[in-house]
Amino acid sequence: MLAAKISRRTFLKASAAAGALATLGSGFTVLPKVRPVEAATEEKVVPSICEMCGVKCGILVRVREGRVVKIEGNPKDPQANGRLCARGNAGMKTLYDPDRLKSPLKRTGEGQFQPITWEEAFKEIGEKLKELRHRYGPQSLVWLAHPELIAPWEKHFMAAFGSPNYTGHAPTCYSSRNVAFEQMYGGVPGTDYANVRYYIALGRNLTGGIKNPDIQKIVAAKEKGAKLVAVDPRLSEFAFFADEWIPIRPGTDLALILAMIHVIINENLYDAAFVAERTVGFEELKAGVTTYTPEWAAQITGIEASTITRLARELAAAKPAAVVDPGWHAVTGSQYFNSLQTARAVAALNALLGNLGAKGGLTFPPKIKLGDPSPLMGPKPQAINAPRWDGAGAGKWALIKAHGMIQLFPQRVKENDPYPIKAVIINHLNPVRSCPDSQAFIEALKKLELVVAIDIQMNDTAYYAHYILPESTYLERYDPIMTVGNKVILRQPAVPPLFDTKGGEEIIAGLAEACGLGEYFRFTLEHYNNALLAPLGLTQEKLAQEGVAEVLAEKPDYTKLNTPSGKIELACPAFVKVGSTLTPAWEPPKVQPKEDNFRFIQGHVPVHTHTTTDNNAYLMALMPENELWIHPSRAAKLGIKSGDMVEVASEVGKVRVKARVTEGIHPEAVFLAHGFGCLVPVKRLAYNRGANDSMLIPIMAAPISGAAAQCETLVTVRKVG
Ligand SMILES: Nc1nc2c(c(=O)[nH]1)N[C@H]1C(S)=C(S)[C@@H](COP(=O)(O)OP(=O)(O)OC[C@H]3O[C@@H](n4cnc5c(=O)[nH]c(N)nc54)[C@H](O)[C@@H]3O)O[C@H]1N2
Ligand SMILES: Nc1nc2c(c(=O)[nH]1)N[C@H]1C(S)=C(S)[C@@H](COP(=O)(O)OP(=O)(O)OC[C@H]3O[C@@H](n4cnc5c(=O)[nH]c(N)nc54)[C@H](O)[C@@H]3O)O[C@H]1N2
Ligand code: SF4
Ligand SMILES: [Mo]
């Protein structure tokens, strides 16, 4: 049984130093046991934070003779709990990747770069930024990032520069889920996975789109007898692990959830006391779902009406330790035009179960009161009047100020709309492959007067930059502190930088100095961390010893939510103001495949992180390329067998990739794992391995949430070899 195999011991002992591989039947891959590293007198153990994905588990880094020899989970860290996933274990190969960026680079031609000094790089970038600000105004600079621990520094730089254009990756990931829960619950709750008794995942692939702490908890819940249901058009890693797999027609989860609400209200299975005390708008919700019967939903979803009714009854019977996962990326996050309505329906259904704040239900994290570093951070930046480049936060996009619409960047650059964008700084992000339409993004980068990429490796986006500034990896640098639950955690270097790289804070302060904004950055990262830690009686130095400290945290008050009514808004006027319905309502997905084409769906895999790990030797040994999943009934008609090369084509691009014929995919869809098909020859392991999904996806913005809706893409498939 998988649950037994992913034991604490396996996680702890799994080491990236292993050569041989063990693959569990689910496709969830862990590395086998190896000899424990022998304690040597000179060995030091540095507690720090993993950055092989955004989850940031606590790690213990073993260093011998100045070299990292092993990375383990920190048992004191609430996320790692002593264990790491395959990617966390493989971090050494990112540190010691021979293809890493080793010094600042300046572009000299297509794919050609020359090493320059940091002084030269800062000076030349600073002069260009000053010139562009003078000619086009500060809003002509956009900063794109996957916001990480350094994000407050990036935002401070942009505020000092006078540009409103700091933009994260949200619409390619979680915008719809966040907008729904922010408006209805006042924030996005997590799930108490450890204690859940009945759990439904709408495409939330817990064992594939991994969050280390959650996977450990859901395994524990399963061991205690929880029932796990995976709704997914694909036999995902979680569908394999769960008790029941419901292979839904893609894009139709909204109908399933609306019908479950219908059943739970009609059969009086909801938590009436909770609904009366903690929600508003129940009568409107009830009236809104009268026509959404299981029979209606069966026709749309392809799931039998009796199954829908059974799932609703089983879920309600387990309340309040019963949850439909709010999700992350896929269905409720950003992949469909109706993702926002789906997330709203999920939020409403959970409320009917009365699970907010209950054991095994939805939870908000406790809050730690940190200090205010702003007195250190120079003069108060002037107010900015220019609108954002992407329009987020105004008019029909009023609800997405914090999320933006990064995917529109190529169009806005091309059209000089709403004003000329002339320069971009891109940190910890690879939009050429993580945003839709890779080719359009490349064209936009070529049009700009200044492109600066900050990364640890030459990614597909940096390849088009005028300047590349190499950041030290997470094993070589400090970062702003982070908090999880009631703990504060520090990232600190395990080894000094191997090459001529700098920490993010030095890069940002260096850029600021060079464009005349030095007065905003007359403080060090240690000053900054100490200011945050001051109320807790801690300093960076003290925290460095164990890497983790437990502190006092304020428990959330579920009786007073951060919504206009202070309660869960089942009927939510905020959505009406931006042109939507008061309560969750059916909206079909944007596109519908026919007999000669497919819906193109994508997702993440257990042993890689997006496009970040495609040159990591250990992880590439585990999974070197992706394959196109196609159903046997469709493959037969197209004469396609497993292993054949196929061409996949959409309205914006074409890719070639191997086919994998499998019953584990809905016949109307084909699936490709995200994160392959690197376009840059410098990354020797990654280059041209598998196919780049983003090449096929047109640029879109779903109504209200602005989500990128990557799965609203139609493709044709033909055999080419
Ligand atoms: N078609 C399609 N597109 C998708 C997805 C999908 O499933 N399908 N998934 C979406 C999702 S959920 C997300 S979150 C986004 C992610 O999209 P991105 O945020 O662009 O993530 P990556 O593609 O991994 O690129 C991250 C970059 O950060 C760099 N990096 C890693 N560590 C460091 C560091 O310590 N410092 C610096 N400066 N850089 C570092 C890596 O080398 C890499 O170049 O992609 C989205 N795009
Ligand atoms: N190993 C690993 N872990 C990761 C990441 C990673 O890249 N690698 N990325 C991290 C990030 S940034 C994120 S956002 C999360 C993402 O975590 P998830 O949101 O759980 O992961 P995705 O891979 O985006 O999920 C896609 C699943 O949704 C299914 N799906 C597609 N269309 C539909 C549909 O219409 N209905 C239903 N019910 N299912 C559908 C797909 O088949 C796939 O199994 O993972 C995080 N953890
Ligand atoms: S989930 Fe895995 S890769 Fe992500 S931070 Fe944790 S150990 Fe590292
Ligand atoms: Mo994501």
Side-chain angles (χ1 to χ4, degrees):
M1 229 188 82
L2 186 61
K5 282 195 182 158
I6 311 174
S7 69
R8 181 180 165 78
R9 230 165 65 99
T10 318
F11 260 100
L12 268 169
K13 300 285 180 189
S15 160
L21 318 172
T23 305
L24 303 182
S26 66
F28 180 84
T29 316
V30 289
L31 293 155
K33 267 201 299 187
V34 292
R35 271 182 299 125
V37 177
E38 285 152 31
T41 41
E42 72 276 21
E43 183 171 286
K44 94 181 160 165
V45 179
V46 183
S48 190
I49 302 176
C50 183
E51 184 76 22
M52 294 298 283
C53 85
V55 172
K56 299 190 168 51
C57 300
I59 51 176
L60 296 177
V61 188
R62 295 190 176 274
V63 181
R64 260 204 252 154
E65 292 170 3
R67 205 179 153 85
V68 174
V69 293
K70 192 163 192 283
I71 303 172
E72 294 170 355
N74 185 349
K76 294 198 172 131
D77 174 75
Q79 300 214 98
N81 194 26
R83 306 167 207 184
L84 300 177
C85 76
R87 300 163 299 154
N89 272 299
M92 282 155 57
K93 276 287 176 192
T94 292
L95 173 67
Y96 296 118
D97 182 348
D99 299 341
R100 259 184 73 177
L101 291 169
K102 301 182 179 82
S103 76
L105 296 175
K106 179 179 178 176
R107 183 184 179 83
T108 53
E110 178 86 30
Q112 311 263 300
F113 296 89
Q114 117 199 2
I116 55 170
T117 66
W118 281 99
E119 291 69 32
E120 287 166 336
F122 284 145
K123 185 164 174 285
E124 291 180 23
I125 297 167
E127 274 166 12
K128 188 73 189 173
L129 281 174
K130 281 195 280 192
E131 179 207 321
L132 293 174
R133 186 167 49 174
H134 180 70
R135 271 169 47 209
Y136 300 101
Q139 71 280 2
S140 63
L141 172 66
V142 171
W143 188 297
L144 304 179
H146 190 122
E148 300 291 358
L149 296 174
I150 202 69
W153 288 58
E154 300 177 294
K155 290 178 186 166
H156 186 52
F157 174 91
M158 287 299 272
F161 195 84
S163 172
N165 291 330
Y166 181 80
T167 312
H169 69 294
T172 67
C173 178
Y174 55 70
S175 286
S176 309
R177 174 201 66 180
N178 281 39
V179 170
F181 279 91
E182 282 158 7
Q183 299 305 321
M184 292 172 67
Y185 280 57
V188 184
T191 299
D192 179 10
Y193 291 106
N195 296 303
V196 77
R197 287 176 43 229
Y198 198 100
Y199 171 80
I200 300 183
L202 301 181
R204 174 71 187 99
N205 188 7
L206 281 172
T207 44
I210 290 176
K211 194 169 182 186
N212 181 10
D214 296 351
I215 202 174
Q216 295 185 41
K217 289 176 191 153
I218 203 75
V219 168
K222 193 175 186 208
E223 279 171 356
K224 284 192 283 179
K227 175 156 180 188
L228 312 180
V229 180
V231 180
D232 199 308
R234 182 177 74 97
L235 185 63
S236 67
E237 289 79 10
F238 187 69
F240 187 89
F241 175 67
D243 299 277
E244 191 170 348
W245 171 39
I246 311 280
I248 194 169
R249 170 174 291 133
T252 66
D253 298 63
L254 174 58
L256 167 69
I257 299 301
L258 290 171
M260 288 174 70
I261 294 175
H262 174 101
V263 172
I264 287 173
I265 292 180
N266 263 30
E267 298 187 6
N268 278 314
L269 303 176
Y270 57 93
D271 183 335
F274 183 94
V275 166
E277 278 165 34
R278 304 280 186 83
T279 74
V280 293
F282 175 75
E283 289 307 323
E284 291 90 332
L285 177 70
K286 185 176 174 180
V289 296
T290 43
T291 57
Y292 301 139
T293 61
E295 292 70 26
W296 164 83
Q299 294 204 345
I300 295 172
T301 59
I303 307 169
E304 282 184 19
S306 59
T307 305
I308 298 175
T309 306
R310 174 176 59 78
L311 289 175
R313 288 177 185 158
E314 287 178 2
L315 181 73
K319 70 181 183 302
V323 167
V324 178
D325 201 310
W328 196 345
H329 171 222
V331 182
T332 50
S334 68
Q335 289 190 316
Y336 293 87
F337 260 51
N338 62 16
S339 285
L340 176 61
Q341 283 285 8
T342 310
R344 290 175 61 186
V346 166
L349 177 51
N350 280 301
L352 297 180
L353 303 170
N355 66 16
L356 185 63
K359 195 174 172 192
L362 295 180
T363 60
F364 283 121
K367 273 197 205 112
I368 297 176
K369 277 213 178 104
L370 294 172
D372 175 14
S374 58
L376 288 176
M377 296 169 79
K380 196 170 183 296
Q382 284 183 0
I384 297 171
N385 296 321
R388 279 177 58 107
W389 70 269
D390 56 6
K396 65 180 179 171
W397 305 116
L399 302 184
I400 58 166
K401 185 158 190 218
H403 308 311
M405 287 178 287
I406 191 172
Q407 76 276 22
L408 301 185
F409 189 75
Q411 295 175 342
R412 297 291 158 95
V413 167
K414 193 169 160 196
E415 290 158 14
N416 281 330
D417 173 30
Y419 42 67
I421 297 170
K422 293 290 170 186
V424 66
I425 300 176
I426 305 172
N427 184 21
H428 207 308
L429 187 88
N430 188 12
V432 164
R433 273 203 287 149
S434 60
C435 284
D437 200 344
S438 300
Q439 200 52 47
F441 217 102
I442 291 171
E443 297 308 323
L445 294 174
K446 285 184 175 167
K447 203 168 170 270
L448 294 170
E449 289 197 29
L450 178 67
V451 178
V452 178
I454 306 170
D455 209 285
I456 54 168
Q457 53 187 336
M458 171 76 81
N459 68 18
D460 313 68
T461 308
Y463 200 63
Y464 295 93
H466 300 103
Y467 296 91
I468 306 179
L469 304 179
E471 188 176 17
S472 307
T473 67
Y474 70 103
L475 295 166
E476 305 164 303
R477 68 171 197 253
Y478 285 95
D479 251 314
I481 55 150
M482 67 179 267
T483 60
V484 177
N486 65 345
K487 302 214 171 158
V488 284
I489 307 166
L490 178 70
R491 169 170 292 143
Q492 57 182 326
V495 289
L498 299 185
F499 303 107
D500 188 14
T501 61
K502 287 184 189 293
E505 86 286 1
E506 281 182 275
I507 297 175
I508 293 165
L511 287 173
E513 185 71 48
C515 46
L517 303 170
E519 60 181 327
Y520 292 93
F521 284 91
R522 301 258 180 270
F523 58 98
T524 64
L525 181 54
E526 186 166 5
H527 290 141
Y528 179 83
N529 277 340
N530 285 345
L532 291 172
L533 292 167
L536 309 172
L538 280 169
T539 59
Q540 180 176 294
E541 205 182 337
K542 266 198 221 166
L543 188 56
Q545 289 159 20
E546 301 225 9
V548 181
E550 197 169 311
V551 295
L552 276 182
E554 214 176 275
K555 288 217 173 96
D557 180 359
Y558 294 106
T559 63
K560 212 168 168 299
L561 301 182
N562 189 21
T563 58
S565 61
K567 300 183 180 196
I568 297 174
E569 306 224 332
L570 298 173
C572 189
F575 290 115
V576 178
K577 277 198 205 138
V578 285
S580 184
T581 54
L582 182 63
T583 56
W586 170 244
E587 276 172 23
K590 178 170 184 277
V591 298
Q592 188 53 55
K594 302 214 172 67
E595 288 206 337
D596 58 350
N597 60 6
F598 298 83
R599 182 183 291 280
F600 179 55
I601 69 174
Q602 321 100 48
H604 302 190
V605 294
V607 298
H608 282 287
T609 299
H610 316 136
T611 75
T612 290
T613 55
D614 61 3
N615 211 57
N616 182 297
Y618 291 148
L619 299 174
M620 282 305 266
L622 292 172
M623 184 175 180
E625 60 187 18
N626 54 358
E627 294 169 332
L628 188 81
W629 294 31
I630 181 167
H631 193 269
S633 62
R634 302 292 304 273
K637 280 189 200 146
L638 295 165
I640 294 168
K641 295 185 303 303
S642 279
D644 286 348
M645 281 305 279
V646 292
E647 182 185 84
V648 192
S650 76
E651 63 181 275
V652 297
K654 281 181 193 162
V655 296
R656 286 185 176 205
V657 67
K658 265 187 220 147
R660 169 174 172 181
V661 179
T662 167
E663 288 188 353
I665 178 79
H666 195 282
E668 286 177 13
V670 285
F671 170 84
L672 196 60
H674 176 62
F676 294 87
C678 172
L679 307 167
V680 181
V682 184
K683 284 169 83 182
R684 286 169 291 177
L685 291 179
Y687 180 55
N688 225 0
R689 294 306 300 269
N692 167 18
D693 52 357
S694 296
M695 199 73 103
L696 300 173
I697 301 169
I699 295 173
M700 297 173 266
I704 296 161
S705 71
Q710 298 102 325
C711 294
E712 299 281 21
T713 302
L714 293 174
V715 293
T716 53
V717 179
R718 72 183 176 95
K719 184 175 161 175
V720 288

